[in-house]
Structures are given as C-alpha cells and as structure tokens.
Amino acid sequence: MKKEYAKHDEEFKKMIVSLCETSKDKTMSDIAREYGITRTSITQWRKKYGTITTSTGEVTNNDEILKLKKELQQVQLENEILKKAVAIFSKEQKIK
C-alpha cells in the first residue's frame, strides 16, 4: 500500500522555516516533534524558503535566486536576438 504524505501549504512551510531561523531555545528536532513533521521536510523547506546572507550583507532566498536566474536567461536570449537583428540590418544597409 502506498504511504500517504501530509500536504502542507507554502505559508505553513515558510512559518516553520522562520521558526527554525529565529528560535533560540528550540532545535529543529523540537519543532519537528511539536508540529508532527520530519526533520528531512524542514531541511528541504529551509533550502527552498530559508534566508541566505550574501557576501555583501544582502539577505535573499533560493526562490528569489531562481527567479533572478530565470530572468537573466530571458534577458540573455533577448540580447542574442537583438545582436543577430543588428547584424542582419547592418548587412542590409551595406548592400544599399
């Protein structure tokens, strides 16, 4: 028989991650027991929703990094298309 896993919404996951990051008197194991979830789940949620402090002191998270990477890919693709268009139009002007 297939094992049923609890489905937690994004807000719950973010709340647990926030609790782990800010709680000084509770360990991750304590929080996992209290909310009936596994430490593995919390670890995965921390990777996804946890905060990251950059070398410049900025605070961000993996979701933001992934969003920015996707946006960067899109801009690079648009840049390549524009370069090709400029090359084509430059050739056309030389022919005339």
Side-chain angles (χ1 to χ4, degrees):
M1 183 175 263
K2 203 171 189 181
K3 190 173 181 179
E4 289 276 328
Y5 293 101
K7 304 267 190 226
H8 300 289
D9 65 348
E10 196 170 331
E11 288 303 312
F12 176 78
K13 294 174 184 179
K14 287 179 179 179
M15 187 264 307
I16 294 295
V17 169
S18 175
L19 234 145
C20 287
E21 290 178 345
T22 59
S23 182
K24 295 190 187 329
D25 57 333
K26 289 185 181 180
T27 64
M28 191 181 346
S29 295
D30 293 337
I31 293 169
R33 265 191 301 280
E34 184 178 334
Y35 288 92
I37 51 181
T38 64
R39 286 191 56 199
T40 305
S41 293
I42 294 175
T43 301
Q44 290 172 347
W45 298 345
R46 287 181 81 177
K47 285 179 185 175
K48 185 171 183 180
Y49 302 111
T51 57
I52 300 166
T53 305
T54 64
S55 59
T56 60
E58 280 186 82
V59 177
T60 188
N61 62 36
N62 281 332
D63 277 348
E64 182 69 18
I65 291 170
L66 292 174
K67 179 182 147 200
L68 290 172
K69 281 184 177 182
K70 194 173 190 177
E71 189 177 319
L72 176 61
Q73 273 185 323
Q74 181 65 32
V75 169
Q76 287 174 331
L77 179 63
E78 290 172 1
N79 193 18
E80 287 300 314
I81 292 169
L82 289 171
K83 283 180 183 179
K84 289 177 183 178
V86 166
I88 291 169
F89 289 125
S90 295
K91 286 179 185 177
E92 285 180 10
Q93 286 182 350
K94 287 180 184 177
I95 294 172
K96 291 181 181 179

